[in-house]
Structures are given as C-alpha cells and as structure tokens.
Amino acid sequence: QKEVEQDPGPLSVPEGAIVSLNCTYSNSAFQYFMWYRQYSRKGPELLMYTYSSGNKEDGRFTAQVDKSSKYISLFIRDSQPSDSATYLCARNSGGSNYKLTFGKGTLLTVNP
Amino acid sequence: DGGITQSPKYLFRKEGQNVTLSCEQNLNHDAMYWYRQDPGQGLRLIYYSQIVNDFQKGDIAEGYSVSREKKESFPLTVTSAQKNPTAFYLCASRHGGRNEQFFGPGTRLTVL
C-alpha cells in the first residue's frame, strides 16, 4: 500500500463551485501535511501546510486533517479558472531527514 | 529576489551521454532535494542533502550522482547508466528545522 493515495481525477467544475480534493495516508507516525499547486510545465508551489487535526484557512483555501480517518482534504471556495492546475498532497513523517512523500496529484479544471 | 533557479529549462541528450542539471538557491536554506516527475507517477526523490559536503540517496538514486560543495548549489548529473532518463526534474530546498520544501521551475530532459 502506497503511503499517500490521491485520486488523480481529472476533476472538472464550473467557475464559482466549491472544490474538494482529497488524500489518504497509511503511516501513523508524526504527521506534517502540505498542499502544493502545480501549473502545467512549472514547479510545484506551496499552498498550505498543517500538522494538526482540524481546519486551517487561508483566503479561499481550507486544509482539513482528520487523523482518526487518516484523511486530508483541500477545499477551494469560489473556484476560478486560474485555479486550474494539478494539486499535490504531501506528508512528512517527522524523521530527521524531513523527506516528503507525495500523492500522484489531482488535475483540476475550472471552466468559465 | 530570493528563490530557486534551475537551468537549463529544456535539455536534450543523446543516449550514452552524461548531462548535468543545475540548481541554485539564494534563500540560505540548509537542505536541498532532487525529484523526478513522470506522468501519472507523482514526485520521486532522487537525492537529498542536509548540509554541505554530505548527501543521501533517495528512492530512485541509481543512474544519478550529485555534489554539494556550496550551500547554495546542488547539481544533479544524469549518467548514461540511467535507463529511462526522459522526465521533468525538480529541485527543492528547505530551511533547517522547517518541514516545508520550496521548488524551482524544473528542467525537462529529453533523451533522443
């Protein structure tokens, strides 16, 4: 079983919709989670990071962690065409090498 | 303007040739990482370095080599021993004690 599972999509929504992107993980060691956004042919851009259960909000983006279910989510409110990208979830097990394990990414298209 | 630069943006290589990809950061980050990204496979760790003159193999190090002679530079050499080198290569860096990694714009390597 892979450490981080992510539905690859693709996901297509109309402009203004609420988007839900999800990942599950298998290792229960100390967890630090990140969401990255990657536009086509560009490097990933860090969107949000969190290490605690519950919600963390930043503008239109909310990261949610449910450690009892080993489930992490990213919600995008009032989605815009400029949100069209691949979204990658990642976790760090907290070891001294700070290695990240990535999901495969979900391709999102927001249609005007 | 702080950030991570990778060069070249596109690189073409003939089979049997070694090529070196450049990664430079002016963020004063201690750790640097090299990932490979293939369609549908997410990011896979090649090598990483947490301090100058020290580096460790990641999950797919075979056919690659690195050096870390300066804090700001972490070049990756793709050797002729790498059987399937065509991919998008991403460099990242991290401040000591922090979990978040920040990525460069990437180099797309194509073997002809």
Side-chain angles (χ1 to χ4, degrees), chain B residues 82-93:
Chain B
Q82 169 51 233
K83 298 304 180 188
N84 187 21
T86 295
F88 190 44
Y89 290 87
L90 290 158
C91 178
S93 69

Side-chain angles (χ1 to χ4, degrees), chain B residues 19-41:
Chain B
V19 289
T20 297
L21 282 60
S22 170
C23 177
E24 303 276 333
Q25 54 97 1
N26 62 5
L27 302 168
N28 199 32
H29 284 177
D30 301 291
M32 298 185 74
Y33 302 78
W34 274 105
Y35 293 89
R36 169 183 173 140
Q37 187 174 35
D38 296 279
Q41 293 208 42

Side-chain angles (χ1 to χ4, degrees), chain A:
Chain A
Q1 182 182 10
K2 293 199 180 295
E3 288 193 40
V4 179
E5 298 274 5
Q6 185 174 9
D7 185 345
L11 184 61
S12 182
V13 302
E15 183 175 354
I18 297 175
V19 176
S20 173
L21 303 164
N22 307 297
C23 289
T24 58
Y25 61 93
S26 57
N27 192 322
S28 296
F30 172 78
Q31 307 287 357
Y32 198 96
F33 301 98
M34 276 151 271
W35 283 98
Y36 288 86
R37 177 175 63 195
Q38 186 177 23
Y39 292 114
S40 181
R41 300 178 182 272
K42 304 290 185 184
E45 168 194 2
L46 180 64
L47 274 179
M48 299 187 71
Y49 58 90
T50 181
Y51 58 87
S52 58
S53 286
N55 295 349
K56 181 178 181 180
E57 191 172 316
D58 184 2
R60 297 186 294 112
F61 298 90
T62 299
Q64 185 178 80
V65 176
D66 183 346
K67 292 189 177 182
S68 62
S69 303
K70 299 181 184 177
Y71 204 79
I72 56 177
S73 300
L74 179 70
F75 298 98
I76 306 174
R77 291 183 298 281
D78 187 24
S79 56
Q80 303 294 309
S82 59
D83 295 327
S84 298
T86 296
Y87 289 81
L88 302 163
C89 61
R91 60 166 281 274
N92 181 330
S93 62
S96 60
N97 54 31
Y98 294 88
K99 289 168 63 178
L100 294 181
T101 302
F102 285 85
K104 292 184 178 181
T106 300
L107 177 60
L108 170 68
T109 300
V110 180
N111 301 299

Side-chain angles (χ1 to χ4, degrees), chain B residues 65-83:
Chain B
S65 66
V66 294
S67 63
R68 187 86 187 277
E69 297 177 0
K70 298 186 296 182
K71 186 176 184 178
E72 59 270 24
S73 178
F74 191 41
L76 172 74
T77 297
V78 184
T79 76
S80 57
Q82 169 51 233
K83 298 304 180 188

Side-chain angles (χ1 to χ4, degrees), chain B:
Chain B
D1 204 14
I4 304 170
T5 58
Q6 291 186 242
S7 62
K9 187 173 182 179
Y10 299 98
L11 186 56
F12 297 90
R13 188 193 96 174
K14 293 182 180 179
E15 284 194 23
Q17 287 182 335
N18 293 353
V19 289
T20 297
L21 282 60
S22 170
C23 177
E24 303 276 333
Q25 54 97 1
N26 62 5
L27 302 168
N28 199 32
H29 284 177
D30 301 291
M32 298 185 74
Y33 302 78
W34 274 105
Y35 293 89
R36 169 183 173 140
Q37 187 174 35
D38 296 279
Q41 293 208 42
L43 275 67
R44 292 183 290 170
L45 182 64
I46 304 172
Y47 267 99
Y48 63 101
S49 168
Q50 300 201 83
I51 56 172
V52 175
N53 292 322
D54 188 51
F55 49 83
Q56 286 77 41
K57 293 182 179 180
D59 302 317
I60 56 165
E62 185 176 352
Y64 300 97
S65 66
V66 294
S67 63
R68 187 86 187 277
E69 297 177 0
K70 298 186 296 182
K71 186 176 184 178
E72 59 270 24
S73 178
F74 191 41
L76 172 74
T77 297
V78 184
T79 76
S80 57
Q82 169 51 233
K83 298 304 180 188
N84 187 21
T86 295
F88 190 44
Y89 290 87
L90 290 158
C91 178
S93 69
R94 177 184 61 80
H95 185 70
R98 303 283 302 181
N99 286 276
E100 309 88 80
Q101 293 182 21
F102 297 89
F103 284 85
T107 292
R108 186 164 299 276
L109 172 63
T110 302
V111 174
L112 304 173

